[in-house]
Amino acid sequence: VMMSMLAETSGVISGVAFNLMIALLMGLAGTGAFGVVFNLVHSARMRRAGGGDVSIAPALAFALLGPLFVVIIGNLEGFIELLYANRLMPPAFWSWLDLEGMEQLPETSHPDLMHWRYMWWWRASRVIRDLDLNGNPIGLQPIDEFPFFSYLLGDLHPHVLAFPFAVLGVMLALNIVLKGSRQQGEPDRMTTIFYAVVLGGLIFLNAWDGPIYIALVTGAELLRRVMAADGKLTWHDARRAVTWGIGVGLLGGLLYLPFFVGFRSQASGFLPNLIHLTRLHQFLLMFGFPLTVICFFLILELRRGAFNWEISIPMIAGIIGFLIAAAMALGLIAYLKPDVQAQLEMAVSEAGGLGPALQKLLIRRVAFSLTTIVLGAVLAISLARLLGHHRLSADVAGPWGPLITIAAVLASGVLGYLFYMVARVAVKAAIKRRRHVEPRSLYTPQVGFVLLLILAGAGLTLVPEFVYLRDNFGARLNTIFKFYYQAWLMWNLAGAYIVYEIVGTGKVRHRALRTAFVPVGVTLLVASMIYPVAGVLSETRMFAGPPYLDGGPTMFASRSDYQAALCLSEFEQGDDAVVAEAIGGQYSNYARVSTVTGIPTVLGWPGHEGQWRGVTYGPIAGSREADIRYLYEQPDWDAVQEVVERYGINYIFVGSLERSDFPQSGLAKFDLLVERGEAIRICEGDGVAVYYLVGEFGR
């Protein structure tokens, strides 16, 4: 709606406006990422300078990493594609990698980018591959888009439209931490209202994002309270932070109530994910670069001696053990849901019986849950670093402290307990060897916020390992899609600041870590840049031909159809205008007239309409597709007048698609209407005409 208003007020035709929107959204997201990193780096430099003035030049330089990491780089599939096209790895590697279309090596090498596989860049959004219990790929594979893929695709789906506002959500969380870390008490009323406007708007823009960023700002408020209380965490502060976050969410919902009243979704709850697990090597193809940067940062934190091990080790052991226990418990919970029982029965049948199915499920949960363990470790270490450096207040560490620790260890189960015992021995040895502990002042708001982003990203990527949203697809492709997109933002923003922490602070003691980080980080960054560079060159055919902004003609099977649609868009229309056109499948030339003109049609792409409207699609769509076919096929105009009246049609488009889909006997009746004075032929061209109804049923 916002983008359409910009197009309308500027007078730009829709084909040009669409492409300008892509550029605008990429620019807005990149600018926001720049702002987040600049504020992190500059505030950190001011803090280290004791609050005095410092040059902004270093902050500006490191802030450029924000848009680079968030909206420009790709995942590592581009590097893998380079290896594949040049046959640089043995067949066993490609069999292990198990990416669609890469199971076998090409017959010959293709060093020339123009001879890579057609639309090779699409595969970057499908590097996560789900298998059934027999190890065969399932039909509906997860989507793992990232921002540059969306911009290269030219995708204006809600996740892309909302992305700059998601960056704004991160900025709001950062604002709480940086501005409020020295303040006691509650956020002021105007701040709360402003946050409700933005975060409620995120629900309106892309429903998945609202709860994610409400949770993020709630975590930021809790972090602010911990820092304002000199590292103490009390139940009172935790309760007040959560209450404030819930209040912001409820107020945001109230502010956008007119939208929610009519909102319908295909989503209908969550289902446990029992069978399909993300394999670690494919996960690293997606997040290898930011995760590597994060791991270096966690090593830096360990070297700083910032952990309170008595708190941290039980916490880390408990979280990892809890995740493992939760995965096992899902199997029991699943039997309470009939549709999950049906899914399991099908899986058991495909696996060759209950025994083999249980065996394969157990092996998969243990072997393939390496991803879960790695993410759980990142989550646990980040949380332990947030809380473990400072002592807990008496409210928590008093009589309830030991019980909480014991409960965490017991909940972890046998695996968690073993991990705990082994880790304790290792930690005791490490403590004995530790020679230096940095002062408490190094626990800065900037480090705390980055840890919060790491924590949030780990949580988002863990969710699809355990549950997924129940939707029309019946698989976890959308859950991975939406959660990974936000995790990309959080981890890459964190990574941009981490580069400053490692290479920009000038700490001599961290020289060894910096020496190791620079070649590893640069290598992975270059590998991540292969995708955007090769993708742009491939899609533009090495910039062959003159550049153009109007994407409208690509939606039409013929140029004359497009010219007629542009003509129709300039024609004087009432607010209740409706255009009839042929109906066909999604990702095709169908629905092109209504798209370009903005005039509503009877039915667009049925597949996408079904996704947007969920269970309400059937009653709303009714017989629309059959009615439009009847309108064009029926030779007798009197027989189809009821269809015209029912949908309020006053424009009938007859172009190349209509002439190929419907018989000439049915289309001829529109010319008879012109002869009878009940229609006017407008916007005529080579084989195309638009009929404007002016008779009894026209408007």
Side-chain angles (χ1 to χ4, degrees):
V1 172
M2 292 183 295
M3 293 300 172
S4 299
M5 289 173 63
L6 285 175
E8 281 289 304
T9 55
S10 64
V12 176
I13 62 174
S14 59
V16 173
F18 190 96
N19 284 323
L20 292 178
M21 291 172 197
I22 288 289
L24 173 63
L25 291 169
M26 185 177 184
L28 287 173
T31 303
F34 179 92
V36 171
V37 180
F38 174 83
N39 279 276
L40 279 168
V41 174
H42 190 58
S43 61
R45 284 173 48 79
M46 290 181 62
R47 186 182 181 91
R48 287 192 169 96
D53 292 335
V54 294
S55 170
I56 67 170
L60 289 172
F62 281 102
L64 291 173
L65 296 178
L68 175 64
F69 288 6
V70 172
V71 301
I72 296 179
I73 68 170
N75 61 20
L76 296 175
E77 195 276 337
F79 172 69
I80 294 297
E81 198 75 40
L82 180 66
L83 297 180
Y84 180 75
N86 291 277
R87 296 171 54 90
L88 294 180
M89 298 298 286
F93 172 81
W94 302 107
S95 177
W96 166 78
L97 193 63
D98 192 28
L99 293 184
E100 184 178 359
M102 284 187 174
E103 297 87 349
Q104 296 179 346
L105 280 172
E107 295 181 359
T108 58
S109 298
H110 297 291
D112 182 3
L113 175 64
M114 291 297 97
H115 290 90
W116 286 12
R117 189 181 73 101
Y118 173 67
M119 284 187 66
W120 62 268
W121 52 271
W122 178 271
R123 191 155 38 198
S125 68
R126 302 296 191 276
V127 298
I128 307 298
R129 205 174 190 197
D130 282 348
L131 308 174
D132 62 22
L133 290 180
N134 286 327
N136 301 314
I138 65 172
L140 293 171
Q141 291 294 343
I143 301 171
D144 51 81
E145 278 194 32
F146 49 91
F148 191 85
F149 172 89
S150 303
Y151 305 136
L152 182 64
L153 180 64
D155 189 351
L156 277 180
H157 274 157
H159 64 284
V160 179
L161 289 161
F163 194 62
F165 298 90
V167 181
L168 176 60
V170 176
M171 182 67 83
L172 294 184
L174 175 61
N175 181 67
I176 291 175
V177 175
L178 292 186
K179 187 177 180 181
S181 59
R182 299 175 301 278
Q183 300 175 357
Q184 299 282 355
E186 310 297 323
D188 63 80
R189 184 176 302 173
M190 291 307 299
T191 296
T192 301
I193 294 174
F194 176 66
Y195 277 48
V197 170
V198 175
L199 298 173
L202 267 176
I203 305 176
F204 161 71
L205 290 164
N206 189 31
W208 295 77
D209 295 350
I212 292 174
Y213 289 95
I214 290 172
L216 183 67
V217 298
T218 302
E221 170 63 11
L222 180 59
L223 179 60
R224 178 193 73 82
R225 290 173 177 271
V226 170
M227 290 187 295
D230 196 26
K232 297 177 183 178
L233 173 65
T234 67
W235 288 121
H236 171 76
D237 280 336
R239 184 174 64 252
R240 294 298 299 171
V242 172
T243 302
W244 178 79
I246 293 174
V248 168
L250 292 176
L251 180 57
L254 182 63
L255 291 172
Y256 292 87
L257 188 60
F259 165 73
F260 292 112
V261 167
F263 178 66
R264 297 294 182 270
S265 172
Q266 59 173 304
S268 56
F270 286 87
L271 292 174
N273 173 33
L274 303 174
I275 299 172
H276 307 125
L277 300 176
T278 305
R279 287 167 284 176
L280 183 60
H281 65 280
Q282 293 182 346
F283 185 81
L284 292 178
L285 278 181
M286 180 67 185
F287 292 112
F289 173 67
L291 268 181
T292 300
V293 176
I294 287 169
C295 287
F296 271 95
F297 178 65
L298 295 178
I299 293 172
L300 174 63
E301 292 295 294
L302 289 171
R303 286 176 58 84
R304 284 174 169 170
F307 283 85
N308 181 331
W309 295 106
E310 293 180 0
I311 298 173
S312 302
I313 291 303
M315 185 182 299
I316 294 170
I319 289 177
I320 294 178
F322 173 77
L323 292 174
I324 296 172
M328 301 299 182
L330 281 176
L332 297 176
I333 299 173
Y335 282 104
L336 300 176
K337 295 182 174 292
D339 47 354
V340 178
Q341 292 180 26
Q343 179 187 8
L344 287 176
E345 289 174 2
M346 182 180 297
V348 167
S349 175
E350 292 173 349
L354 181 60
L358 290 175
Q359 183 181 12
K360 291 174 181 178
L361 272 175
L362 181 61
I363 292 173
R364 181 170 293 186
R365 272 294 172 189
V366 173
F368 287 179
S369 61
L370 284 174
T371 305
T372 300
I373 294 174
V374 169
L375 290 174
V378 171
L379 184 150
I381 293 172
S382 302
L383 186 60
R385 173 66 179 92
L386 276 169
L387 301 178
H389 181 52
H390 301 288
R391 64 181 181 85
L392 298 179
S393 71
D395 289 354
V396 176
W400 300 105
L403 292 178
I404 293 173
T405 302
I406 292 172
V409 175
L410 290 178
S412 69
V414 176
L415 290 175
Y417 180 72
L418 290 176
F419 179 89
Y420 170 67
M421 296 301 293
V422 172
R424 280 193 64 179
V425 175
V427 167
K428 286 182 178 179
I431 291 175
K432 289 181 180 179
R433 294 193 302 268
R434 190 170 58 178
R435 291 172 294 181
H436 181 84
V437 177
E438 292 191 359
R440 291 179 51 166
S441 61
L442 284 177
Y443 184 81
T444 65
Q446 295 77 19
V447 168
F449 183 73
V450 167
L451 287 165
L452 181 64
L453 291 180
I454 296 171
L455 192 73
L460 287 170
T461 50
L462 271 172
V463 168
E465 303 303 302
F466 297 92
V467 295
Y468 62 91
L469 188 74
R470 185 208 305 260
D471 57 18
N472 290 356
F473 298 106
R476 64 177 190 147
L477 79 167
N478 257 338
T479 306
I480 284 184
F481 178 13
K482 303 297 187 179
F483 283 11
Y484 277 24
Y485 213 79
Q486 305 310 318
W488 178 278
L489 170 62
M490 295 181 190
W491 277 353
N492 280 287
L493 282 176
Y497 177 77
I498 289 169
V499 173
Y500 162 74
E501 279 284 328
I502 295 177
V503 305
T505 56
K507 293 287 184 180
V508 177
R509 261 189 322 101
H510 303 147
R511 183 176 297 167
L513 186 68
R514 184 165 58 245
T515 301
F517 172 77
V518 170
V520 174
V522 170
T523 300
L524 287 174
L525 180 59
V526 171
S528 301
M529 283 298 298
I530 291 175
Y531 182 85
V533 173
V536 169
L537 293 176
S538 176
E539 275 299 271
T540 60
R541 308 302 296 173
M542 305 294 286
F543 294 100
Y548 58 91
L549 272 178
D550 189 1
T554 63
M555 300 183 60
F556 287 77
S558 72
R559 184 75 184 183
S560 57
D561 281 16
Y562 178 56
Q563 294 296 337
L566 288 182
C567 169
L568 177 59
S569 67
E570 298 296 327
F571 198 74
E572 188 69 28
Q573 303 138 9
D575 293 336
D576 55 354
V578 176
V579 61
E581 59 180 314
I583 297 172
Q586 56 203 30
Y587 305 112
S588 68
N589 293 122
Y590 290 94
R592 80 281 196 205
V593 179
S594 57
T595 299
V596 167
T597 63
I599 303 173
T601 190
V602 177
L603 181 64
W605 289 348
H608 270 63
E609 291 285 356
Q611 289 180 40
W612 295 327
R613 301 178 188 277
V615 296
T616 65
Y617 171 71
I620 293 175
S623 59
R624 289 170 183 255
E625 188 167 2
D627 290 343
I628 291 298
R629 177 165 292 277
Y630 184 70
L631 170 66
Y632 281 99
E633 289 181 341
Q634 173 57 243
D636 183 10
W637 171 251
D638 294 334
V640 300
Q641 287 181 354
E642 190 273 333
V643 173
V644 173
E645 184 178 34
R646 183 189 310 168
Y647 300 112
I649 297 169
N650 48 7
Y651 294 99
I652 299 175
F653 194 94
V654 177
S656 56
L657 287 182
E658 288 74 21
R659 295 193 184 280
S660 64
D661 287 2
F662 306 115
Q664 179 59 33
S665 59
L667 302 178
K669 65 178 176 292
F670 301 127
D671 290 326
L672 294 177
L673 283 181
V674 176
E675 295 176 6
R676 289 160 48 179
E678 296 182 18
I680 301 173
R681 192 184 295 108
I682 61 173
C683 301
E684 293 183 86
D686 183 15
V688 60
V690 181
Y691 297 89
Y692 174 53
L693 304 181
V694 296
E696 180 181 355
F697 298 101
R699 299 187 182 184

